[in-house]
Structures are given as structure tokens and as C-alpha cells.
């Protein structure tokens, strides 16, 4: 019988992380990329593929679990599940794996995302000439064809309601770009950007310009999860999965949030309430953050959703280099994130979060013990709290 | 920290079950069917939709979670996941919901399957004129177009290896049909079948005839899951989720199992090993079984996989009315199952399992305290042990 309302807390650790090269176009198939990233994570953990018996992935994966299992030479898998909604999935995918390991449904779980730009699932607007059904029927006929068009509406509303400016969005883009400039794995490694570059960039969907958008990336990332007692015997510093939560807030409408009382109060808010209720720490304890950034406005919206500032203050929170390493109040997306390292549907935010807690990041926040990782705001989402294992 | 390797055990109960009408063609949309079944399950549980904060479903659902949530008036959902592989999913879907409730990630979870025959996902062979990729590339070019063609290969092999006969398959079909004949919800209610009818039926894919196949059904089923302490205060007799397991066995190939050492040793075997290791009971304690029956041969294959008899004995096990209610050794698919009640990707097996433990089934096994429910053998699968809550 259950006694604790927060059973997953610290029961498991991330003991391996892996990734492929990140680039706009890579030769290997999605399957090869997935296998490469997972194998790298297992090698990092010192665990043989035959020990893996839990598989956690995105519903958008084009390669099915059994194909991953057979090609990696896994043992008998005894737990598997998937989470939907693309960029909203990552933290739930890892959290569900933690839950399955914690409860003994499996012993070694891997979670991953593998993605190629050419994939049908990565270009939802490619189907716009088709008959529109499901939730897009409420936005496509009005010209909101791409995710960026929908997020532009939210951004415009935040500017109107809160007085946010393009300078706030530039703060986000510039901070993440600077982090990527020092990260050899990042697509924007060494490619510097100035505020003038940002201001001069072409519109993608006004008020969002080119640099308010994430990259287009081929690549894969993966993590390995085991119980905390085993993690102590693994080669890398264990990264405790302190808590996780997911959220579809009431009356949610994917991306546009038309039906909510406040369209700017997205799934992050409900996710944050559950997350902090399951945790021993609060927003003030977070040393470093990895905030889902398919589009720059999602960052200040998430910052207020997760309680780093009052409602409406997410924009101004980014001033004075708050998100920058090493001197910001909350160094954020320290690998460059989706906007400047790679866009792997947010999974590279999770591996970077783990690196920070290990003390192995390129832009390492000194003494980082608590890292918040979030998945996409504006869609059904999730969040993870990673902490130094004690 | 985790102490028990079987944490989900008896931590949660099914407290509500619901379903729509089952028929070959129903007017309402899949969404309406899903909403109807879930609302019926919540009414049965005496729980308001606004309390639901966990959603567990099949990846094959055409209606997304957020759409279900908004249309039912759910509260803020804090956990959701999906399981793939159609008929292989059901028990994993329910098990994952149990895990999420047990660990405090959500408080009231609903799990469901809604299906219309016309759905693209229910007719995988409809795409056979397209370019073949993924795992079907290993079977489609050789004429194995439909799932029944692949299962026919397994059936033929079992006949060759074990000496099973069409009479064994008829035992399965006739037992389930007789159960359905007494069940007003069943598509085969009152429609009797003789062994001669079975023998005379046309081939679908030799050695499988019409009556070796499940029905084609429009309909939906749902269950509601809460923690066991709360379940005691719900109106219906609580049905404990004693254990669950899932499985993708090593070197698994969906349906055809080409790569395994023994193609007849499907995912059921690995699933059974995990399931019994997590449980306080064994095959000998099972009072009533609900065995996934998209095709009749899956039943004897599952019976041996889950340890009700030795390998090779699954066919003969069905003799002497073993699967029949009320006098069989193991009354199985007591509502009629997928072959004679309805084919809802196996989810109606779960609701019938719960009814048996409640003591409310049409073909009620007297004093039933332990029910095994399985999802599809031959594909990534799962199983549930439902027991009377103590």
C-alpha cells in the first residue's frame, strides 16, 4: 500500500547520457541516430544493452520500440510507454521511465528522442493542403499554419497585456546563443550574434523574427535510468530524479489555448503546482534551468508559470543578463537549448540538465545542485527536477 | 527510496467501468464513444469528471487526450501516457495508470479505448498498395497482408510442432460464442453456433476460418482507477490491481516473430515471468481468465505462455470444455471476448475481468477472486492480475 504521495522522489537516477552529432542534415536514418544515442548513454552508464528492460519514448518516434530493442540486442523488455505532443513530451517520457524503475516494473530504462527534419511529424504544416480535422480546424482556416504563427499570437498578447518588448525576446535569444558559442556540440558553436543582428533579422511571423525560432536539427539524445541504490555503483556522478509532473490544464487547446480563461496561463502553471507539491525544493532553490525554447516567448511564459517571478514579470525577469552564464540570476539553457544547440524536441535540455548536476557542462554553473527542466509550454507538457544525489 | 520490487501491488483499484453499445456500425464519432464510455465509468465510480487528473490510452486512439479532457470537463490533468501496438496495449494502459496513481503522480485516472471499424488504424492492410517500409517489409511482399495471414502462419506451425488441430481452435470459438449468447451486450447475443457451423465456415486464411477471427466493432470501454484507500469508499466492490507487466521479448518481430529462437514463444512468455514475479499468486490460483483473442490460436498460445499448461499443451488444454462457463477448469472470456462480445482492442476483456471480481458478470464464476487479463500475444503485450480487494 502507498503511504507517500511522492513516491518517485529520489528513487531513481539518470546514470548515463548520450547523444549523436547535431546538424541540419545528417546521413544516418532516425533508427541509426536513436541506436547511436542510446548506445552512447549505455556506455556512459557502464551498462550492457542486454540489461535494458524499460523503454520510454515519444509517440512521434518513427521507429518503434521493438525495432530499437532488437537492433540494440536488448533483453526481455518488461515496461514501455510513450508520451505525445512532441516538444511537450520529453520530461514526461523521462518521468514515466523513473516511475517504472522506481516501482519495479523494470530495472534499467532508456528514454530517448531521435529526429530528422525531413520527417513528416516534424512539419505539421506540410499537411495543410489536406482536409483539416481535429484541433487544427480551429486555427488553420485563419492562417495559423505553423506552430510559430500560433505562438506569435501568444507573444503579441503578452506584449499587449504585460508590456513585454522585442528586447525581452532578444534577451532570451542572445543568452542561449552565447552559451552555444562555447559548446562544440552546438549547431551555433562559434557563430556569434549581436542585438543588432537580432533586430535586423527577417520576420517569420510578426512579432517573431528568425532568431525567435528554434533550429532545425537531425540528431538524437538519450538517458539511462536505474534505481538510486544501483546508481551509486555506476561510473558517473548519479543525477537524482527528484520529482516530475505532467500537465494538460483544464480546457486546454493545443498551442492556441483559445478556451482557457487566460490564454497566457498555459499547461506550465498546472504542471508547476504538481511539481512543487511533489518536491522538497522550490523555485528559489533552482541553480540552473533548462526551459523548453522552440520559440523565445515560451521562456518568459514558462519562467512565470514555474514561479520564478510574478505573472506578467517573465519578460522583465530576462533583463540584466538573468539567463546568462556565469553571472545571471538563473543561467538557463546552458548548452544553447533548442534555439542554439539543437532542436531535438527538448530532449537535449534533459541531457544538459544532467550534465549540470554532474558538474560536467561546458558552461558549468558552479556547485549546481538543483536543475529544473521543462517541456513545451503551450502544449500538454511536463517538467523534471534533477538534483545531486545524496 | 524504494524498498519493494513490486510497488504497484494492490496499491490501486478499478472502481468504475463503463462501455458503449457494441455494434458493427454505430452513428457516434470515436470521440463521442470515448466520452460516453468514460462518463459511464465515472458515474459507476461515483466520481465527478472534474476530479480526473490522469489519462491513459492507446497510441492508436484517434482522439487526443486534451480533447477528451476538455469535452469531459476534467480538471488539471497531471499525468498522461500512451501504449502502442493496438491489441497489445490494453493491460499496459491500465497498468501504467495504476502505477501513476500509486506513486501520487495523479489521483483519479481513466483508461479507455474507443474504436470505429472505419478508422485507418483498424485496417493496417489498407495501406498495402503503398510503399512498404518498417517491419511489414519482411512479410507484405510474401503475401502476408493482414494480421490474420501472419497468425495463420503461427497456427500452422503450432499444428505441425504440437499436433494441434482445428478442433482445438473450435473449442475456443465455441466456448466464447456460448458465453456471448447469454450476454445482451454482446454482438453475438443469442446467435448460436455449432461445431458443424465452425467446420463449414469459409477460410479467411487457411488454417483459420471465419470463426477463428474476432468481430469488427464500433464501441468504447473505460475504467476508473483510484488508490485502494479511497476505493473502499466508492459505491462498487473495489477490484484490486494486484500486478501488471508488459513485454517485448528479446529479438521480437511484431506478429511474425521471425527472429526468435522459437516463433511460438511470443511476448506472453516474458510478460508472464515478470507478472508472476510481481504477484503473490500463480497460475493455479486464477479463477477466471480473459485472454486476448483477436484470433483463436492466440488463446492456446497464451495459455501455455502464462503457465496454465506445459509448452505444446495449450491446444489439448481447451478440450473437455475447459474454457466454458460454468463448469470449465478455467472459464475464459466470459463475456464472449473479442471473438463474440466485441473487438475493442482487448479493452472489453479488462472491464469483464473487473465485473467477474465484483461478482456482477452475466456468466459469473462463483467466488471468483483472481482474474488474469492478457493483451495480444504475438505483439508487444501486457497482462493484469485483478483480485478481490481485501
Amino acid at each position: 500500500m502507498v503511504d507517500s504521495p511522492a513516491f518517485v522522489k529520489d528513487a531513481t537516477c539518470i546514470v548515463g547520457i548520450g547523444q549523436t552529432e547535431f546538424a541540419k542534415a545528417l546521413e544516418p536514418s532516425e533508427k541509426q541516430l536513436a541506436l547511436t544515442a542510446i548506445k552512447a548513454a549505455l556506455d556512459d552508464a557502464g551498462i550492457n544493452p542486454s540489461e535494458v528492460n524499460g523503454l520510454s519514448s515519444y509517440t512521434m518516434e518513427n521507429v518503434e520500440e521493438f525495432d530499437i530493442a532488437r537492433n540494440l540486442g536488448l533483453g526481455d523488455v518488461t515496461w514501455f510507454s510513450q508520451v505525445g505532443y512532441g516538444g511537450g513530451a520529453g520530461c514526461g517520457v523521462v518521468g514515466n521511465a523513473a516511475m517504472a524503475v522506481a516501482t519495479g516494473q523494470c530495472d534499467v530504462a532508456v528514454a530517448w528522442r531521435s529526429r530528422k527534419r525531413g520527417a513528416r511529424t516534424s512539419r505539421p504544416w506540410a499537411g495543410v493542403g489536406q482536409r483539416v480535422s481535429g484541433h487544427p480546424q480551429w486555427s488553420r482556416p485563419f492562417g495559423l499554419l505553423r506552430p510559430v504563427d500560433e505562438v506569435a499570437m501568444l507573444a503579441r498578447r503578452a506584449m499587449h497585456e504585460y508590456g513585454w518588448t522585442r528586447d525581452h525576446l532578444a534577451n532570451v535569444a542572445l543568452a542561449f546563443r552565447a552559451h552555444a558559442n562555447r559548446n562544440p556540440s552546438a549547431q551555433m558553436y562559434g557563430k556569434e550574434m549581436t542585438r543588432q543582428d537580432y533586430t535586423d533579422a527577417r520576420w517569420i511571423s510578426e512579432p517573431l523574427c528568425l532568431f525567435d525560432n528554434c533550429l532545425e536539427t537531425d540528431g538524437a539524445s538519450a538517458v539511462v535510468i536505474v534505481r538510486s541504490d544501483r546508481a551509486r555503483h555506476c561510473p558517473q556522478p548519479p543525477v537524482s530524479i527528484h520529482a516530475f509532473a505532467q500537465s494538460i490544464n483544464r480546457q486546454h487547446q493545443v498551442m492556441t489555448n483559445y478556451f482557457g480563461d487566460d490564454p497566457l496561463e498555459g499547461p506550465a502553471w498546472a504542471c508547476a503546482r504538481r511539481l512543487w507539491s511533489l518536491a522538497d525544493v522550490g523555485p528559489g532553490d533552482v541553480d540552473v534551468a533548462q526551459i523548453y525554447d522552440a520559440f523565445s516567448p515560451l521562456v518568459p511564459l514558462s519562467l512565470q508559470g514555474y514561479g520564478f517571478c510574478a505573472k506578467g514579470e517573465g519578460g522583465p525577469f530576462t533583463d540584466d543578463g538573468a539567463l546568462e552564464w556565469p553571472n545571471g540570476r538563473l543561467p538557463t539553457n546552458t548548452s544553447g537549448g533548442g534555439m542554439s544547440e539543437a532542436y531535438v524536441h527538448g530532449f537535449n535540455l534533459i541531457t544538459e540538465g544532467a550534465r549540470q548536476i554532474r558538474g560536467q557542462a561546458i558552461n558549468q554553473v558552479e556547485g549546481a545542485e538543483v536543475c529544473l527542466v521543462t517541456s513545451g509550454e503551450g502544449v500538454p507538457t511536463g517538467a523534471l527536477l534533477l538534483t545531486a544525489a545524496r
Side-chain angles (χ1 to χ4, degrees), chain A residues 221-271:
Chain A
S221 301
V223 300
V224 181
I225 295 161
V226 301
R227 280 172 57 170
S228 295
D229 48 2
R230 175 168 180 175
R232 282 191 283 274
H233 307 290
C234 290
Q236 296 286 357
V239 177
S240 186
I241 297 178
H242 181 68
F244 90 100
Q246 294 174 262
S247 154
I248 303 173
N249 60 317
R250 63 191 67 202
Q251 293 303 311
H252 178 65
Q253 168 70 15
V254 170
M255 298 299 289
T256 52
N257 216 5
Y258 283 153
F259 299 111
D261 290 335
D262 179 354
L264 296 178
E265 199 167 304
W269 294 75
C271 192

Side-chain angles (χ1 to χ4, degrees), chain A residues 6-27:
Chain A
F7 182 79
V8 172
K9 187 161 70 186
D10 296 326
T12 63
C13 289
I14 293 174
V15 294
I17 57 181
Q19 67 193 39
T20 63
E21 190 183 347
F22 298 133
K24 197 157 181 176
L26 292 175
E27 186 66 25

Side-chain angles (χ1 to χ4, degrees), chain A residues 304-354:
Chain A
Q304 55 188 38
Y306 285 95
F308 292 101
C309 57
K311 197 167 182 176
E313 297 299 318
F317 183 93
T318 65
D319 283 336
D320 307 319
L323 310 184
E324 295 171 17
W325 180 88
N327 296 321
R329 278 174 293 153
L330 185 68
T332 297
N333 294 15
T334 42
S335 69
M339 293 171 68
S340 279
E341 184 191 39
Y343 184 65
V344 191
H345 262 156
F347 211 90
N348 52 320
L349 299 175
I350 296 167
T351 48
E352 172 66 6

Side-chain angles (χ1 to χ4, degrees), chain A residues 121-386:
Chain A
T121 52
S122 69
R123 298 173 165 266
W125 57 90
V128 82
Q130 300 166 9
R131 183 166 172 275
V132 178
S133 62
H135 70 90
Q137 74 187 291
W138 306 112
S139 52
R140 297 294 182 273
F142 305 98
L144 304 182
L145 304 184
R146 305 160 299 176
V148 67
D149 299 320
E150 300 175 304
V151 173
M153 299 274 281
L154 295 177
R156 184 66 86 191
R157 188 175 181 113
M159 289 173 165
H160 175 77
E161 294 265 350
Y162 304 143
W164 293 1
T165 66
R166 287 194 74 207
D167 258 341
H168 294 135
L169 304 182
N171 291 340
V172 172
L174 290 164
F176 301 175
R177 179 65 74 96
H179 300 157
N181 288 162
R182 293 183 289 268
N183 171 12
S185 300
Q187 286 178 259
M188 290 300 159
Y189 176 57
K191 294 179 184 163
E192 295 190 5
M193 180 169 75
T194 66
R195 195 167 288 262
Q196 193 63 46
D197 293 334
Y198 176 91
T199 309
D200 292 347
R202 70 178 187 275
W203 295 125
I204 299 299
S205 190
E206 208 178 330
L208 302 181
C209 74
L210 178 65
F211 298 122
D212 291 308
N213 287 258
C214 61
L215 303 168
E216 300 226 50
T217 303
D218 286 2
S221 301
V223 300
V224 181
I225 295 161
V226 301
R227 280 172 57 170
S228 295
D229 48 2
R230 175 168 180 175
R232 282 191 283 274
H233 307 290
C234 290
Q236 296 286 357
V239 177
S240 186
I241 297 178
H242 181 68
F244 90 100
Q246 294 174 262
S247 154
I248 303 173
N249 60 317
R250 63 191 67 202
Q251 293 303 311
H252 178 65
Q253 168 70 15
V254 170
M255 298 299 289
T256 52
N257 216 5
Y258 283 153
F259 299 111
D261 290 335
D262 179 354
L264 296 178
E265 199 167 304
W269 294 75
C271 192
R273 282 193 291 274
R274 194 74 179 194
L275 184 75
W276 300 124
S277 81
L278 293 167
D280 293 337
V281 296
D285 300 306
V286 174
D287 301 307
V288 55
Q290 313 296 332
I291 306 287
Y292 182 83
D293 61 339
F295 308 103
S296 62
L298 301 181
V299 176
L301 287 171
S302 296
L303 288 168
Q304 55 188 38
Y306 285 95
F308 292 101
C309 57
K311 197 167 182 176
E313 297 299 318
F317 183 93
T318 65
D319 283 336
D320 307 319
L323 310 184
E324 295 171 17
W325 180 88
N327 296 321
R329 278 174 293 153
L330 185 68
T332 297
N333 294 15
T334 42
S335 69
M339 293 171 68
S340 279
E341 184 191 39
Y343 184 65
V344 191
H345 262 156
F347 211 90
N348 52 320
L349 299 175
I350 296 167
T351 48
E352 172 66 6
R355 270 191 299 264
Q356 285 286 351
I357 297 300
R358 285 180 176 189
Q360 299 171 348
I362 299 278
N363 299 307
Q364 179 63 45
V365 173
E366 206 174 330
E369 293 199 333
V370 179
C371 179
L372 172 71
V373 189
T374 75
S375 294
E377 170 60 338
V379 295
T381 193
L384 280 171
L385 277 168
L386 304 178

